[in-house]
Amino acid sequence: MSGKRILIIEDEVKIARFLQLELEHEGYTVDQEQDGRLGLEKAQQGNADLVILDVMLPSLNGMEVLRRLRQVSEIPVIMLTAKDDIMDKVMGLDFGADDYLTKPFAIEELLARIRVAFKHKRVAHGKGQIIQVGPLKIDTQKYTVTFDQETIDLTKTEFDLLKYLMLNNEIVLTRDTILEKVWGYDYSGDTNIVDVYIRYLRSKIDDRYRQKFIHTVRGVGYQLKYEE
């Protein structure tokens, strides 16, 4: 049994019940709410370890639930939506969602993303965050990176790139996505800059500690993954 508690905020009763049964079968304890405002109140109580949040909800939509929840909590949130709209996804991720699934989806994919969310340790730390993947840790408030408490010196761009990779631990990211998120939508260069900075990070982390964190996914992009 996992011992983890998951809160489902979903107004479609059949979907919510299906998810509850599947998650309970996997050993999770599950709570449900069909109303956005009530779901937010329950999430803010701090009893859940992860929230599965639908976008289209009565009383308060999922984006607003997420925005308000992020003011007080860094609990992992996986968003669900019937809309296959890139702007919805960008907005959800910008508001602090950990992951995003478009309906319909395979339950196996949701379960895999839940496991990733729980492996990805993210806790509040003052006005910043501590993000940890294995022995690699970033403090976004102090702008420090450590490996088993040994400090790693990075430039600002290297730091921003590593932070983005760690926030998306085990998720495969395209070069275009990395370019947009780290360098900005108005960057006029090409994606080769991503490869250059990936090499910098590898030399300072992977090569130095003989531990492979940054993986190349041929024809797609890069993935940060820690394998014990």
Side-chain angles (χ1 to χ4, degrees):
M1 304 294 282
S2 76
K4 299 288 189 180
R5 182 178 293 272
I6 295 177
L7 172 61
I8 300 170
I9 308 177
E10 165 65 74
D11 65 327
E12 295 186 52
V13 178
K14 289 183 179 179
I15 292 177
R17 181 58 178 161
F18 169 73
L19 292 177
Q20 180 175 2
L21 291 173
E22 291 290 337
L23 292 171
E24 287 177 345
H25 179 71
E26 294 294 318
Y28 298 109
T29 301
V30 180
D31 295 317
Q32 275 192 49
E33 280 295 345
Q34 282 77 48
D35 178 273
R37 195 174 299 277
L38 295 176
L40 174 62
E41 291 175 1
K42 183 165 285 189
Q44 289 174 329
Q45 291 171 7
N47 296 323
D49 298 296
L50 180 141
V51 176
I52 297 174
L53 176 63
D54 189 36
V55 171
M56 303 301 291
L57 293 168
S59 298
L60 208 63
N61 70 50
M63 294 296 182
E64 184 61 18
V65 170
L66 177 62
R67 189 188 69 80
R68 296 187 188 187
L69 182 61
R70 277 293 173 256
Q71 293 175 353
V72 297
S73 173
E74 288 295 335
I75 183 174
V77 175
I78 298 176
M79 298 200 75
L80 306 179
T81 181
K83 295 180 179 179
D84 191 11
D85 188 327
I86 189 64
M87 290 312 297
D88 277 346
K89 295 181 180 181
V90 169
M91 184 181 296
L93 294 171
D94 284 347
F95 279 3
D98 292 79
D99 212 336
Y100 211 108
L101 277 177
T102 302
K103 300 175 186 176
F105 53 85
I107 188 64
E108 291 81 7
E109 182 176 7
L110 176 60
L111 293 174
R113 293 182 184 232
I114 289 171
R115 290 193 294 269
V116 169
F118 281 136
K119 285 173 67 177
H120 171 201
K121 183 179 179 182
R122 186 167 105 171
V123 296
H125 187 74
K127 293 182 179 179
Q129 294 174 337
I130 292 176
I131 308 162
Q132 184 165 355
V133 178
L136 193 61
K137 183 188 295 185
I138 276 185
D139 186 323
T140 63
Q141 184 182 33
K142 297 179 180 178
Y143 244 77
T144 59
V145 180
T146 57
F147 183 99
D148 279 342
Q149 301 183 337
E150 181 178 338
T151 300
I152 302 171
D153 291 325
L154 299 181
T155 66
K156 182 182 183 304
T157 301
E158 290 167 353
F159 182 94
D160 291 343
L161 174 56
L162 180 62
K163 180 177 75 171
Y164 184 64
L165 292 171
M166 290 178 68
L167 282 170
N168 291 278
N169 180 35
E170 297 197 11
I171 296 174
V172 178
L173 302 167
T174 67
R175 288 172 175 81
D176 286 336
T177 299
I178 295 171
L179 194 66
E180 290 173 354
K181 291 295 184 179
V182 177
W183 278 266
Y185 290 93
D186 57 350
Y187 181 76
S188 58
D190 59 39
T191 57
N192 286 340
I193 192 71
V194 176
D195 301 326
V196 170
Y197 275 86
I198 288 289
R199 287 200 297 272
Y200 291 162
L201 285 181
R202 280 176 168 161
S203 68
K204 292 185 177 183
I205 301 172
D206 293 24
D207 298 345
R208 178 177 175 182
Y209 297 103
R210 298 181 181 180
Q211 173 70 60
K212 192 170 181 62
F213 281 95
I214 303 170
H215 300 258
T216 300
V217 181
R218 191 176 299 277
V220 182
Y222 296 101
Q223 176 191 40
L224 187 135
K225 181 169 63 174
Y226 173 64
E227 297 175 344
E228 297 186 57

